[in-house]
């Protein structure tokens, strides 16, 4: 399998965003934080045994352009085929997150009920935390039952920035 990747710059406080795509669709959208590109690829190589990783601005430019439009407020939905890797439970959670509309939020319990597992709010939180497609699969739109901004793998500052962007 061939995985093409690119790093784009998003407005502060989001920072650098790693994008990676397979022939089936977008596999990763991750905040780089202080990780090097080499480390980012290495972190995901175990999930993709035998894959060749190639840098490609050209192939990922259309997706990066959609992200730029999202960040400037001219786009509410990034349209691209998705190819995440996860357990069946994680996939259920990520599909349910795709149903949370732009500019709205849900709590972990609501997502658990949406997938037919009303007692799985904590497990939903763990699946959201392991979401490989941040922003696209909008785990930033999931909040605590008390309405607080909690549990975002990219950090609460980024979560707040994304929710403010969508407000």
């Amino acid at each position: 399998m061939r995985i093409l990747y690119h790093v784009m710059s998003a407005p502060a406080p989001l920072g650098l965003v790693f994008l990676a795509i397979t022939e089936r669709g977008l596999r990763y959208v991750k905040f780089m934080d202080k990780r090097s590109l080499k480390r980012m690829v290495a972190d995901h190589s175990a999930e993709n045994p035998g894959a060749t990783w190639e840098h490609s601005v050209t192939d990922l430019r259309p997706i990066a352009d959609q992200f730029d439009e999202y960040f400037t407020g001219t786009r509410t939905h990034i349209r691209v085929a998705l190819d995440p890797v996860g357990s069946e439970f994680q996939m259920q959670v990520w599909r349910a997150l795709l149903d949370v509309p732009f500019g709205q939020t849900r709590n972990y319990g609501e997502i658990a009920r949406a997938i037919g597992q009303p007692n799985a709010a904590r497990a939903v939180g763990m699946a959201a935390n392991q979401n490989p497609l941040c922003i696209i699969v909008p785990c930033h739109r999931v909040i605590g039952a008390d309405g607080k901004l909690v549990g975002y793998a990219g950090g609460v500052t980024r979560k707040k920035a994304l929710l403010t962007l969508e407000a």
Side-chain angles (χ1 to χ4, degrees), residues 96-115:
L97 292 174
L98 288 169
D99 292 334
V100 180
F102 180 89
Q104 295 184 27
T105 59
R106 300 289 185 272
N107 66 46
Y108 295 99
E110 289 171 319
I111 300 298
R113 286 188 292 283
I115 64 168

Side-chain angles (χ1 to χ4, degrees), residues 110-162:
E110 289 171 319
I111 300 298
R113 286 188 292 283
I115 64 168
Q117 298 196 36
N119 297 321
R122 286 182 191 258
V124 164
M126 289 301 297
N129 183 270
Q130 295 166 354
N131 171 15
L133 295 164
C134 73
I135 303 169
I136 299 267
V137 175
C139 53
H140 62 278
R141 296 180 191 153
V142 185
I143 58 175
D146 59 2
K148 291 185 179 175
L149 303 184
V150 295
Y152 188 57
V156 175
T157 301
R158 284 187 180 121
K159 183 174 197 160
K160 184 176 181 179
L162 290 168

Side-chain angles (χ1 to χ4, degrees), residues 5-166:
Y5 64 88
H6 174 61
V7 176
M8 67 172 293
S9 181
L14 303 177
L16 297 176
V17 179
F18 175 80
L19 307 172
I21 194 164
T22 69
E23 63 277 355
R24 291 183 300 272
L26 195 59
R27 171 88 31 124
Y28 300 109
V29 177
K30 305 287 251 174
F31 295 114
M32 294 280 295
D33 292 319
K34 294 184 190 269
R35 285 176 279 192
S36 69
L37 188 54
K38 184 177 180 179
R39 174 66 186 242
M40 185 63 79
V41 169
D43 286 350
H44 297 297
S45 290
E47 299 167 350
N48 303 282
T52 44
W53 293 78
E54 300 172 31
H55 183 260
S56 177
V57 175
T58 305
D59 290 295
L60 286 146
R61 185 79 255 158
I63 297 168
D65 288 345
Q66 288 188 62
F67 272 100
D68 285 337
E69 291 170 1
Y70 169 83
F71 295 136
T72 60
T74 59
R75 176 179 288 275
T76 60
H77 184 77
I78 297 167
R79 300 192 189 290
V80 62
L82 304 179
D83 186 30
V85 174
S87 70
E88 182 52 41
F89 179 79
Q90 288 171 323
M91 298 295 259
Q92 282 183 314
V93 170
W94 300 337
R95 281 191 297 271
L97 292 174
L98 288 169
D99 292 334
V100 180
F102 180 89
Q104 295 184 27
T105 59
R106 300 289 185 272
N107 66 46
Y108 295 99
E110 289 171 319
I111 300 298
R113 286 188 292 283
I115 64 168
Q117 298 196 36
N119 297 321
R122 286 182 191 258
V124 164
M126 289 301 297
N129 183 270
Q130 295 166 354
N131 171 15
L133 295 164
C134 73
I135 303 169
I136 299 267
V137 175
C139 53
H140 62 278
R141 296 180 191 153
V142 185
I143 58 175
D146 59 2
K148 291 185 179 175
L149 303 184
V150 295
Y152 188 57
V156 175
T157 301
R158 284 187 180 121
K159 183 174 197 160
K160 184 176 181 179
L162 290 168
L163 291 173
T164 299
L165 176 85
E166 294 184 3

